[in-house]
Amino acid sequence: MSSQDVLKDASTLASYNVLLQVMFRVLTFLLNAFTLRFVSKELIGVVNVRLPLGILWSILLVCVWLWLLEAPDPQTVPYYGPAVLLFAFGGLQELLAEPLWVLAQAHMFVRLKVVAESLAMIAKCSITVVLVVFARQWGLYIFSAAHIVYTGFLVLCYTVYFLQFLGSKEATKKNFPLHNVGDLLPCIVDGEPLIDWNLAQLTWSFFKQSFLKQILTEGERYVMTFLNVLSFGDQGVYDIVNNLGSMVARFIFLPIEESFYVFFAKVLERGRDVESQKRDEVAIAAEVLECLLKLVLVIGLIITVFGYAFSHLALDMYGGSLLSSGAGPALLRSYSCYVLLLAVNGVTECFVFAVMSQKEVDKYNLVMLGLSVSFLFLSYVLTWWAGGVGFIMANCLNMGLRILHSLLYIHRYFRSSQWRPLRGLLPSALTLLALVVSAVVTALSERVFCCDSGWFFRFVHISVGAVCLLIVLVTVFFTETRLIQFIRTRLLPLYTKKHR
């Protein structure tokens, strides 16, 4: 498969993933807004912060959750113990679909992922809404049942698809490497070693890296849970704001990161320098990396500028005084700044992880270990000092160090070549000017019009923001011509041609 074909498939995958994540986040957004009217913030805090369990830690954490940690008030959060067991079962059930998900992702079965996760999310939302309305007294049973339904649908969809796909004419036409269900199971191949130790060592390296990355991305939840730095109510508010603030990061940046990791891994050979790669492959990879950096940087700057001025209004409209009267606005403003770092880190790390050799991955794991320890320490200290905002501050410091490491690696990687993809981190002067002016104007608008003077003045504030956003987008369109061309020709697949 040529690099152009790989890029087309990666673009299609990214587009489908973005649409899928948009649907997920909209459904989750509406579901949270709905459930906030029926359940307490303490219940939300327990469900979203304490109960999600890592696959390898399920049994251990069930014991920790039940017998070592402080249990919530049963009057406020009923059925805590059984819900812990049900969430653990849901995690183990989801593990059954994981190998099939990896197989589908590697072979870019984008429609399968869209259908499976869409059905699972719709089923989860439906169960949650019905139980919240008609069986509110069930407490945590509501969310644990919805989680089990979600993971069950994932397992069912992936299993049914591969049962009918393996051995079919379509699989033969695509030269699919597996022919029947038995090929998915461990087996001994004649003339081949039982274990490919090179692959096993690389897998172990990535496992360690994934574990450390989990600490870095979800570490604040463990600090909240084990060190009790925030009450259950404050944990609930933090998690709601965190989910609201990360919506764009998850439905735009994460699909791009996942899809173009596949692209870079297929186009460039892992562990080889630029001079050892095919020139055409390096050229297209450098071009894509530069444009992706510019894309996520512009999106991140827009979110930072407008998120700061509209955080209070967004929380007030979303959750009422429950979210907008306390630390919620400060949390969301801080998160708006953090999104910019998330955007840049996602693209830089997806490239770095795609081209690193095994030794480099092992070396980076040591860096990740140091970052994990420092992040947990900073989270604890800064939270005692600044409350929930301290978690975001710790995340910003950690993300900045990860970005610095990736930028240095990319600079060294392309140093001996003619390509300089890091120029994508330099937006045009007019774009920066439009963003600065918009930041000042919207901040003044918030101070004057928002948010205690009625809906008319809120609408005025929204209108001011809409005009500023339009000016920024028009400026980007006319000044970032290379980025616009990349979006038109590379990122968005031409569905009309595909279906003719």
Side-chain angles (χ1 to χ4, degrees), residues 42 48 96 117 142 172 210 226 240 366 375 383 392 395 404 408 443 472 485:
E42 286 79 11
N48 292 335
L96 297 176
E117 299 192 12
I142 297 172
T172 304
S210 299
F226 292 105
I240 293 168
L366 296 177
F375 170 69
T383 302
I392 301 176
N395 273 312
L404 179 61
L408 292 174
V472 170
Q485 182 69 12

Side-chain angles (χ1 to χ4, degrees), residues 238-403:
Y238 175 86
D239 190 72
I240 293 168
V241 172
N242 179 66
N243 287 334
L244 185 61
S246 64
M247 280 183 65
V248 176
R250 290 178 178 176
F251 73 64
I252 293 181
F253 301 141
L254 183 59
I256 290 175
E257 177 184 348
E258 290 178 347
S259 303
F260 282 93
Y261 170 81
V262 176
F263 165 74
F264 290 128
K266 287 181 176 292
V267 169
L268 300 174
E269 295 188 40
R270 181 182 298 278
R272 298 180 62 182
D273 57 27
V274 171
E275 296 177 350
S276 303
Q277 307 272 3
K278 295 180 181 179
R279 182 180 178 84
D280 292 342
E281 312 287 357
V282 175
I284 191 173
E287 177 193 356
V288 170
L289 178 58
E290 180 179 347
C291 292
L292 285 178
L293 287 173
K294 179 68 66 68
L295 174 64
V296 298
L297 179 70
V298 170
I299 296 175
L301 287 171
I302 291 174
I303 293 171
T304 299
V305 168
F306 291 93
Y308 185 88
F310 286 87
S311 293
H312 189 280
L313 178 60
L315 290 178
D316 193 62
M317 294 175 64
Y318 183 56
S321 60
L322 175 69
L323 299 180
S324 62
S325 61
L331 284 171
L332 191 54
R333 289 189 182 105
S334 302
Y335 207 98
S336 298
C337 300
Y338 176 52
V339 166
L340 175 60
L341 299 177
L342 277 176
V344 176
N345 181 72
V347 172
T348 54
E349 279 197 347
C350 93
F351 177 84
V352 169
F353 292 160
V355 300
M356 273 184 170
S357 66
Q358 180 190 325
K359 290 183 179 180
E360 289 172 328
V361 172
D362 288 333
K363 184 178 179 180
Y364 185 61
N365 285 339
L366 296 177
V367 176
M368 295 278 279
L369 178 61
L371 289 174
S372 300
V373 174
S374 63
F375 170 69
L376 294 175
F377 175 75
L378 285 172
S379 296
Y380 179 74
V381 173
L382 292 176
T383 302
W384 279 115
W385 174 60
V389 175
F391 282 122
I392 301 176
M393 294 171 63
N395 273 312
C396 288
L397 293 172
N398 158 63
M399 201 62 65
L401 292 175
R402 289 167 64 178
I403 291 172

Side-chain angles (χ1 to χ4, degrees), residues 16-89:
Y16 276 124
N17 280 342
V18 167
L19 293 175
L20 180 64
Q21 291 297 327
V22 166
M23 187 196 72
F24 279 6
R25 296 310 152 192
V26 168
L27 285 175
T28 305
F29 179 86
L30 296 175
L31 181 63
N32 285 340
F34 176 81
T35 54
L36 279 173
R37 271 69 178 176
F38 292 87
V39 300
S40 67
K41 62 183 180 181
E42 286 79 11
L43 185 61
I44 296 293
V46 171
V47 171
N48 292 335
V49 176
R50 174 167 289 195
L51 288 183
L53 302 175
I55 295 172
L56 295 178
W57 299 97
S58 295
I59 297 176
L60 174 62
L61 290 183
V62 163
C63 299
V64 171
W65 262 236
L66 291 178
W67 295 304
L68 294 183
L69 296 180
E70 174 191 3
D73 183 359
Q75 298 299 320
T76 306
V77 185
Y79 310 115
Y80 174 72
V84 169
L85 298 176
L86 291 175
F87 267 95
F89 174 76

